């Protein structure tokens, strides 16, 4: 059975989104890409101002509450349903809860062929990318660089510290077929 879902997990500014776009270019079939940023952008602005939503602290910490988790659960189930319906999906994710975050995805994706990919990047390099992007809270990249990988089990790990997105995508594509 061919891979139906590729889950890219890594900290902010680790290179996941670039890799996802490159995967769409190198994989032979059409693949949809959904990232946690897609979910956050789809939420009403009030979710960032309310208790229980999502908060981006000035030091880069991301705090999520029950209202966010409820919408996130529906989003995860929706992505799993698309994959079960025949869409191939790349998930660009940040496992803030490490192994517990992966467990939520494993439960939703049960029965599907999933390739779990750890996207690592040295904190200092990710921090430089974060500043260059200009659309992230400074400090997020460093605080997430290692934390998102705690207890997570991968089929493949890549390091974008010195590797280009296309090189990483080709390595992933070689394992996805």
């Amino acid at each position: 059975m061919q891979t139906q879902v590729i889950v890219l997990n890594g900290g902010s500014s680790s290179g996941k989104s670039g890799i996802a776009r490159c995967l769409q270019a190198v994989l032979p079939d059409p693949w949809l890409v959904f990232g946690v940023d897609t979910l956050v952008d789809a939420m009403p602005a009030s979710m960032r101002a309310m208790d229980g939503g999502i908060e981006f602290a000035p030091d880069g910490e991301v705090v999520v509450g029950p209202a966010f988790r409820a919408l996130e659960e529906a989003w995860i189930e929706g992505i799993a349903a698309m994959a079960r319906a025949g869409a191939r999906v790349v998930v660009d994710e940040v496992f803030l809860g490490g192994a517990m975050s992966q467990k939520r995805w494993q439960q939703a994706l049960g029965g599907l062929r999933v390739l779990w990919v750890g996207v690592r990047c040295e904190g200092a390099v990710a921090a430089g990318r974060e500043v260059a992007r200009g659309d992230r809270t400074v400090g997020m990249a460093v605080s997430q660089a290692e934390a998102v990988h705690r207890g997570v089990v991968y089929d493949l790990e890549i390091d974008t510290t010195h590797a280009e997105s296309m090189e990483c995508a080709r390595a992933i594509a070689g394992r996805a077929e």
Side-chain angles (χ1 to χ4, degrees), residues 37-61:
D37 290 343
T38 309
L39 170 64
V40 172
D41 290 344
M43 292 180 173
S46 63
M47 289 289 292
R48 294 183 189 189
M50 66 182 279
D51 286 341
I54 184 168
E55 177 187 346
F56 299 94
D59 65 355
E61 181 184 13

Side-chain angles (χ1 to χ4, degrees), residues 110-131:
L112 295 168
R113 174 89 169 104
V114 180
L115 180 66
W116 299 94
V117 181
V119 180
R120 294 187 178 270
C121 183
E122 289 177 11
V125 172
R129 293 176 186 168
E130 177 179 71
V131 170

Side-chain angles (χ1 to χ4, degrees), residues 13-15 119-123 125-126 129 145-146 149 158-161:
S13 300
S14 63
V119 180
R120 294 187 178 270
C121 183
E122 289 177 11
V125 172
R129 293 176 186 168
E146 293 301 321
H149 300 290
I158 57 172
D159 190 327
T160 65
T161 302

Side-chain angles (χ1 to χ4, degrees), residues 53-57 61-65 68 96:
I54 184 168
E55 177 187 346
F56 299 94
E61 181 184 13
V62 180
V63 180
V64 297
F68 176 88
L96 293 174

Side-chain angles (χ1 to χ4, degrees), residues 103-177:
K103 185 176 181 179
R104 283 194 299 274
W105 277 100
Q106 286 171 326
Q107 289 170 342
L109 299 173
L112 295 168
R113 174 89 169 104
V114 180
L115 180 66
W116 299 94
V117 181
V119 180
R120 294 187 178 270
C121 183
E122 289 177 11
V125 172
R129 293 176 186 168
E130 177 179 71
V131 170
R133 285 175 68 162
D135 66 347
R136 300 281 177 206
T137 303
V138 174
M140 231 187 321
V142 170
S143 71
Q144 294 175 2
E146 293 301 321
V148 300
H149 300 290
R150 286 195 191 112
V152 179
V153 178
Y154 298 111
D155 299 308
L156 175 67
E157 291 190 55
I158 57 172
D159 190 327
T160 65
T161 302
H162 303 291
E164 294 295 324
S165 295
M166 186 57 80
E167 176 185 349
C168 295
R170 285 189 177 115
I172 295 165
R175 293 286 300 272
E177 297 182 28

